[in-house]
């Protein structure tokens, strides 16, 4: 199932996919309504594996709709796979999906051949928030950048730079011209995070996880915050290792709260990008199952890298069941 609006999903890519699949079923979605109807078909036909072609937002929409339909029908979830056809593609870094475009679709062909030969898979827990299922979500700086990127992409698409509008260039333009300068002059919102699930644990220096549990109802953080984000995978898009402790426990997701300002962010950009930057005065990390987050005033909110407007309060938790996801790094499954 591919996102017909994704940057890399051209008519040529769709034709290439159709040839590679050799008669397999290919669905093209151009709206959430399309995705909902396609999900009903996928579940009713009982496919073993569902491939998503697009970025993190496409994966989020497809998994959300398929899980919703499978739960309603009382049937097992299919295995999910990712084709690298979007912009951010954080999951591609996790599961080793090939860069699918270019070279005559060789990346697509290689990944699909691997699937047909029974590629390995891994268990992955995702986040449920506001009826959506996603690897990550966030309030504050990351969501602000997503909003600024959307605006930059729209403006650049009307210029001679249109070929570069959907991708890293627009993120760079948005960050340099809008997001980072804005944070130089704006105050951080007040944030309050409360544990609403099983015991939470603070993560300290060098990834040391505290043995002192923080029970349900405990206030995990209260104070100013530039960003409050949750993830079950280490990466944001483009290999940005925002959540270095997300793989620590399968039954927890990483909560990261940061007060870092523009200048320290720029000075320590390389370490922050690699996930190696440590500063207990600016970054607080926790392993949590479910939390409520309050932001005053309300801040931009993103789910799976897509903007979802302004929020003053969000409740997010791990989905009860894990999904199976194709992992190109894993050894092939035994026959």
């Amino acid at each position: 199932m591919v996102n017909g609006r994704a940057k890399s999903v051209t008519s040529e890519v769709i034709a290439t996919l159709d040839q590679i699949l050799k008669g397999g079923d290919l669905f093209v979605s151009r709206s959430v309504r399309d995705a909902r109807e396609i999900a009903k078909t996928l579940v009713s036909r009982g496919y073993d594996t569902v491939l998503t072609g697009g970025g993190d937002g496409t994966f989020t929409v497809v998994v959300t709709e398929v899980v919703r339909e499978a739960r309603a029908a009382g049937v097992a979830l299919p295995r999910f796979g990712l084709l690298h056809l979007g912009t951010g593609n954080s999951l591609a870094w996790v599961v080793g999906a090939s860069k699918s475009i270019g070279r005559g679709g060789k990346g697509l062909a290689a990944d699909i051949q691997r699937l047909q030969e029974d590629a390995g898979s891994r268990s992955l827990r995702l986040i449920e928030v506001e009826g959506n299922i996603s690897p990550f979500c966030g309030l504050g700086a990351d969501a602000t950048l997503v909003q600024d990127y959307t605006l930059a992409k729209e403006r650049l698409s009307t210029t001679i730079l249109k070929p570069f509008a959907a991708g890293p260039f627009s993120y760079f333009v948005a960050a340099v011209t809008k997001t980072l300068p804005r944070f130089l002059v704006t105050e951080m919102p007040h944030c309050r995070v409360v544990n609403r699930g099983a015991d939470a644990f603070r993560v300290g220096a060098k990834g040391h996880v505290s043995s002192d549990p923080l029970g349900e109802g405990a206030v995990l953080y209260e104070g100013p915050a530039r960003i409050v984000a949750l993830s079950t995978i280490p990466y944001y898009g483009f290999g940005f290792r925002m959540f270095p402790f997300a793989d620590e426990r399968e039954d927890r997701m990483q909560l990261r709260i940061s007060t870092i300002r523009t200048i320290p962010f720029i000075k320590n950009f390389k370490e922050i990008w690699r996930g190696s930057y440590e500063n207990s005065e600016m970054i607080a990390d926790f392993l949590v199952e479910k939390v409520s987050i309050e932001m005053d005033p309300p801040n931009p909110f993103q789910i799976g890298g897509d903007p979802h407007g302004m929020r003053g309060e969000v409740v997010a938790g791990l989905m009860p069941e894990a999904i199976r996801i194709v992992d190109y790094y894993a050894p092939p499954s035994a026959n």
Side-chain angles (χ1 to χ4, degrees):
M1 178 174 170
V2 298
N3 177 3
R5 297 182 302 167
K7 170 190 173 184
S8 302
V9 181
T10 63
S11 57
E12 289 80 11
V13 167
I14 291 174
T16 300
L17 266 173
D18 200 33
Q19 292 175 357
I20 295 170
L21 288 171
K22 299 177 181 178
D25 293 331
L26 174 63
F27 299 88
V28 180
S29 169
R30 300 187 184 277
S31 69
V32 173
R33 178 177 293 182
D34 287 348
R36 190 164 293 134
E37 293 304 313
I38 293 171
K40 291 179 181 179
T41 301
L42 297 177
V43 172
S44 66
R45 292 185 183 178
Y47 291 100
D48 293 325
T49 300
V50 173
L51 293 178
T52 68
D56 298 315
T58 301
F59 180 84
T60 292
V61 170
V62 173
V63 172
T64 296
E65 297 301 333
V66 170
V67 170
R68 181 181 291 127
E69 292 299 323
R71 286 173 174 172
V75 299
L77 295 175
R79 181 178 66 162
F80 293 92
L82 180 76
L83 298 177
H84 194 330
L85 290 171
T87 302
N89 294 294
S90 65
L91 272 166
W93 287 79
V94 176
V95 299
S98 303
K99 183 65 176 177
S100 297
I101 59 173
R103 295 176 299 161
K106 290 182 180 179
L108 280 172
D111 283 353
I112 292 174
Q113 181 180 359
R114 178 79 187 273
L115 278 163
Q116 292 170 337
E117 294 172 354
D118 201 7
S121 60
R122 58 173 285 190
S123 174
L124 179 67
R125 296 286 290 275
L126 298 173
I127 299 168
E128 284 202 68
V129 56
E130 297 187 347
N132 298 281
I133 297 173
S134 177
F136 57 83
C137 63
L139 282 153
D142 59 340
T144 301
L145 177 57
V146 168
Q147 287 190 352
D148 293 342
Y149 161 76
T150 302
L151 181 60
K153 180 176 67 171
E154 291 173 355
R155 291 180 175 175
L156 289 172
S157 65
T158 63
T159 72
I160 59 173
L161 296 173
K162 181 178 179 179
F164 308 100
F169 182 69
S170 287
Y171 274 107
F172 176 78
V173 170
V176 171
T177 64
K178 290 185 68 70
T179 311
L180 293 175
R182 179 190 294 119
F183 292 150
L184 281 170
V185 297
T186 58
E187 294 294 324
M188 296 184 199
H190 182 82
C191 171
R192 189 170 190 264
V193 183
V194 180
N195 182 24
R196 300 298 183 188
D199 288 344
F201 299 89
R202 180 72 185 261
V203 182
K206 307 298 181 183
H208 174 74
V209 180
S210 172
S211 59
D212 297 326
L214 299 162
E216 184 175 4
V219 177
L220 304 182
Y221 181 87
E222 184 157 13
R226 180 64 73 199
I227 181 173
V228 185
L230 295 155
S231 185
T232 60
I233 62 174
Y235 298 100
Y236 269 169
F238 311 110
F240 179 15
R241 199 163 181 261
M242 172 73 171
F243 304 96
F245 313 119
D247 286 337
E248 190 70 27
R249 287 180 55 162
E250 187 175 334
D251 62 346
R252 297 291 188 275
M253 54 187 168
Q254 182 180 346
L255 163 68
R256 170 158 283 192
I257 305 163
S258 179
T259 61
I260 195 166
R261 296 185 180 274
T262 299
I263 300 304
F265 178 82
I266 294 172
K267 286 183 176 179
N268 299 283
F269 182 73
K270 286 186 178 180
E271 290 78 10
I272 292 170
W273 189 271
R274 293 196 295 258
S276 60
Y277 181 70
E278 291 188 351
N279 188 322
S280 60
E281 294 181 358
M282 295 183 182
I283 299 175
D285 291 313
F286 299 87
L287 300 179
V288 301
E289 182 190 55
K290 184 177 182 179
V291 294
S292 63
I293 304 167
E294 299 174 17
M295 297 286 272
D296 182 23
N299 260 235
F301 181 49
Q302 62 85 10
I303 302 175
D306 284 345
H308 279 256
M310 306 291 284
R311 296 291 187 277
E313 183 173 3
V314 168
V315 177
L318 283 173
M319 65 181 293
E321 65 271 60
I323 68 165
R324 299 296 302 176
I325 186 166
V326 173
D327 186 351
Y328 299 100
Y329 291 128
S333 302
N335 293 327

